[in-house]
Every structure is written in C-alpha cells, then in structure tokens.
Amino acid sequence: MKIRTRFSPSPTGMIHLGNARAALYSAWFATKNKGVFILRIEDTDLERSEERFTESLQEDLRWLGIQWQEGPGVDGPYAPYWQSQRQEVYAKYYQILEEKKLIYPCFCSDQELVLSRKLQQSRGLPPRYSGVCKKLSETEIAEKMAAGKKPAWRFAVPVNATIEFEDTIKGPQSFQSNDIGDFIVRRADRTAPFLFCNAIDDAMMEVSHVLRGEDHIANTPRQLMILTALQLHQPKYGHLSLIVGNDGAPLSKRHGSYSLRELQSVGYLPEAIINYMARLGHACELQALLSFEQLANQFYLEKLSRSPARFDAAQLLYWQKMVVQAMDANRLWRWLGEKIENQVPESKQSLFIDTIKSNIAFPEDAQDWAKRFFHDSVTIEDEELQIIREAGEQFFVEAESAVDKYGIALQEVLAEMKQTLGVSGKKLFMPMRVALTGKIHGPELAQIAELLGQEKMKFRLGHAFKMASEKVG
C-alpha cells in the first residue's frame, strides 16, 4: 500500500504548535515510508478564511522544512487542493446519498436546535438532534420549500449500530450510533461542512493515514459512516494526544503565545521546534540534534503516547540552545540581524560571535551582550553591586594596575592580582566579571578582555572602584 498522508488546515488563523505537530508527524510518516505528503486547504468557511492565512501557513510549513508533493504550488493528480474549488465533487456525492435516501432536509432554526439541546441536557441526556425533520412527508417538505425555507441536509444515522475502527495510536475504538444523532452534511447555503468534505477528499485523494488531534476522534465514526454509505476508500485514522500546559488544560493563549509566526519572530529556530516536536508525545531514541530527514527516520506510530503531551518551555529552550551552538558563524550572524550589525565593529564580528555563542539563545540576548561590550559603561544592578562592594577599593586599584602592566593578557592580570591580594576562585573572578560586564555569569573572561580592549577595561575598573568607595545608606 502506498503511504499517502495529508495536512488540511483551515486558513482562518496562524499555525500553532498543535497544528505544526500534526503536520510534522504526517510529513515524517510519509517521508519515512517513501510516500506522498499532501497539503490541502480546507477553506469552506468563506466568512473566516483569508488568503493571507493561506500564504502564511505555507510559509510556516516551508520554514519548518516541510515539503509537500501534492498541493498548492505543486498540484498533482487530485487537484484542486482548495476545498472551495471542489464543490462539484461534493455535489456528486450529495446526489448519491439523496438518491439512496440516506440524507434528508432539516428546516430547524438555530433557536429551535439550541432549545432542544438545553431540554435534553436538563433531562441528563446527551445533546443530539432529535430527528424531528426526519419524519416530514414529501408534501410537508415541498410546502416548506415553496415557502422559501432553505434546509440543511442531515445524514440519517443507522439505529442501534456499532461503529468500530482501529486507531493507529489509541487502539480499538467503538461508538454507538444511538449516541451520535443525525448530523449535518450540507449547510443551508449548500456548502459542505468540514465533516463531509474532509472525508470525501481523503477518500478521493487516496489518503492512507490520517494523523490529527484527538479532539477530532468523535468526528471519525461520522466520517466512516459517510464513506461506508458511499462505498468509498477509508483511511486509517490516528488521533494524537493533545498538547497541554502545566495546569493540564489544553495549550492555549493563556499559557503563552505559541503560533509558529510568533515563535519565529522572537528568534526561535525551525530545527529547535522540530526536534522538540519529535519528543513531545513521541519517544525518540536518539537525543542528539537531528535533521528533518533524520527525525523522519526515527518516527514510529507505535511510539506515540496515548497520554496528554505536556508542553515544557524549558525543553524547547534546550533545543534552541543546541541549534545555536551548532550554527556556523555566517548563519548565526545573519540570524542576529541588523541591530547587532550596527553595534559590532566589523573587525570584531568573528570574536564577538565566538565569545557570546554559548551564552545566547535569541538575538535579544546577543543585543544585550553587544550593548555591554561596545558601549562605554554598563549598568550594575543591586546584587552585582554588592559583589563590587564586598571586593573593596583595593581590589580595583590592583586590577587597574595589573591591566596597565599586562594589557588584555588576562591570565597574567589575574595571576598578579592573586599574588598581591591573596584572593582566588570566585573572590577573584566574580568582581572582575561584574566590573567588566555588569553580570555574574557570561563568556570567558579572556575573550571579554579582548573584546573590550585595555582602555575600556581600565575605565570600567575605575568606575567599579568608585562604586566600591561609595558609602552605603
């Protein structure tokens, strides 16, 4: 069987991590099995679908390294790949269902449906369509049509039936038709809702495997009933556990903003996201930083967890730092952007990158270090100021004298200070680091000295002396 997977987003907003994970897993499964990955745009919600979202989602997928073999810009044997352009396909299957009397017109208003659901809930019953319009005679239907009423069309769910399927992730699934109720397959404006066109397109495009969020699991028995009624190909369905925040609730805006576009805007790198996604609800044996193709080779449906996938920002940050460390100097420089380029002298670009690389995760971090190295002075906060004062005036007198003598040769500077002051370890390194950078932690002191130069080192040590001389209180 030829493996064919798909990702079918609605262009009504930006792609978030949950969408990205479904797209990645589908693309990896196809890649691993030398199959085909399809991108299909589900734009039947004409009021909310926007071209800008269609463009941005394609850009975001390419940014992640995902390439589709069929879809926008590629086409393929099952074009078009926009659902808004496939209405004739859906009309053909509506006609078949109508001829088989498997669908019927429903004239119930939204208000009537809401009232019915509330009544059912008050009686402790599951909210589902009562089937009132299913009992209408042909004469009654004709009268309502003549009166100008435009019906939606519902699928007549079989009574007392069991719908079963093997979920490729969650295992055997079973649903009772009596709990489902007749569902809409055609809106009153004659457009196809997700439930219908999604199933039809999967069948027509010969999709072999559907990987999607478990919030869609209740749609699967409905779609299987449609495909069975039409005697169409049925894909294998796998429902991914949802991504949740620390509170156990599905990841949402209240946990932070996790659209790919926003993650990209703050500096997250695509390799960091895909490496984290490969470990989010999926057991990846290799813990090294892997390429898109390597991650595809490590992807297994049987290693997907059935439990909720808890999002861990620290783990995403870990992979971000791993990618930064692996970047070559040219790419790193481009990633840091114009703000860095405008602050760092060309002669010191290479040294600056080597110095800060292990101490940054985002361009913003590099901007902070550039400000500390290439501006005249640094701001020293209260915690760091206490270290300056504890070191005392004499520390900085000796430090400035040693820099006068040895320049930026920091090993010699520190050796002399150790001898004259009788201090070592943190008591030697920490005040020097704070005086030169304003921070407790950071790059190697020898590289810092080389970036600053002798005169700037002396200036900052003199400034530290003044702070150590100031009386507290």
Side-chain angles (χ1 to χ4, degrees), residues 82-228:
W82 281 264
Q83 287 185 338
S84 60
Q85 300 173 20
R86 296 177 61 82
Q87 295 305 311
E88 288 184 9
V89 175
Y90 311 137
K92 168 187 171 183
Y93 289 105
Y94 285 133
Q95 185 176 350
I96 294 173
L97 290 174
E98 189 173 356
E99 289 171 354
K100 289 184 175 183
K101 298 190 181 301
L102 293 175
I103 59 175
Y104 61 88
C106 174
F107 298 91
C108 296
S109 66
D110 290 342
Q111 294 85 348
E112 289 171 327
L113 295 173
V114 169
L115 184 62
S116 175
R117 283 194 292 269
K118 286 183 177 179
L119 184 61
Q120 289 171 332
Q121 288 172 331
S122 69
R123 295 174 178 174
L125 300 172
R128 57 188 178 88
Y129 182 61
S130 63
V132 61
C133 287
K134 192 175 185 179
K135 303 168 186 175
L136 293 175
S137 66
E138 291 185 10
T139 302
E140 290 172 314
I141 291 172
E143 289 174 352
K144 290 180 181 293
M145 293 283 200
K149 291 190 175 182
K150 295 181 179 180
W153 287 77
R154 291 184 180 272
F155 184 85
V157 174
V159 178
N160 300 324
T162 300
I163 303 96
E164 297 178 323
F165 67 95
E166 183 73 20
D167 192 297
T168 58
I169 299 170
K170 296 185 174 298
Q173 303 293 313
S174 179
F175 295 83
Q176 299 304 311
S177 63
N178 292 354
D179 296 331
I180 293 175
D182 298 347
F183 51 90
I184 292 175
V185 293
R186 194 175 201 177
R187 301 187 187 101
D189 63 4
R190 301 184 68 77
T191 60
F194 157 82
L195 203 68
F196 186 79
C197 54
N198 179 271
I200 297 298
D201 287 343
D202 283 343
M204 298 306 296
M205 295 178 183
E206 298 186 356
V207 172
S208 65
H209 292 75
V210 170
L211 299 179
R212 58 186 181 184
E214 66 181 4
D215 51 331
H216 284 290
I217 199 164
N219 291 325
T220 303
R222 294 167 170 82
Q223 293 182 313
L224 287 172
M225 283 190 281
I226 292 170
L227 297 176
T228 299

Side-chain angles (χ1 to χ4, degrees), residues 348 351-352 355-356 373-374 446-453 456:
K348 293 194 173 183
L351 176 60
F352 175 72
T355 301
I356 66 163
F373 292 141
F374 300 111
Q447 291 176 303
I448 291 172
E450 192 175 352
L451 273 173
L452 291 176
K456 191 172 284 187

Side-chain angles (χ1 to χ4, degrees), residues 228-249:
T228 299
L230 291 168
Q231 297 181 315
L232 293 177
H233 158 78
Q234 298 178 6
K236 294 181 179 179
Y237 293 92
H239 293 90
L240 302 168
S241 59
L242 296 182
I243 303 176
V244 298
N246 289 330
D247 57 0

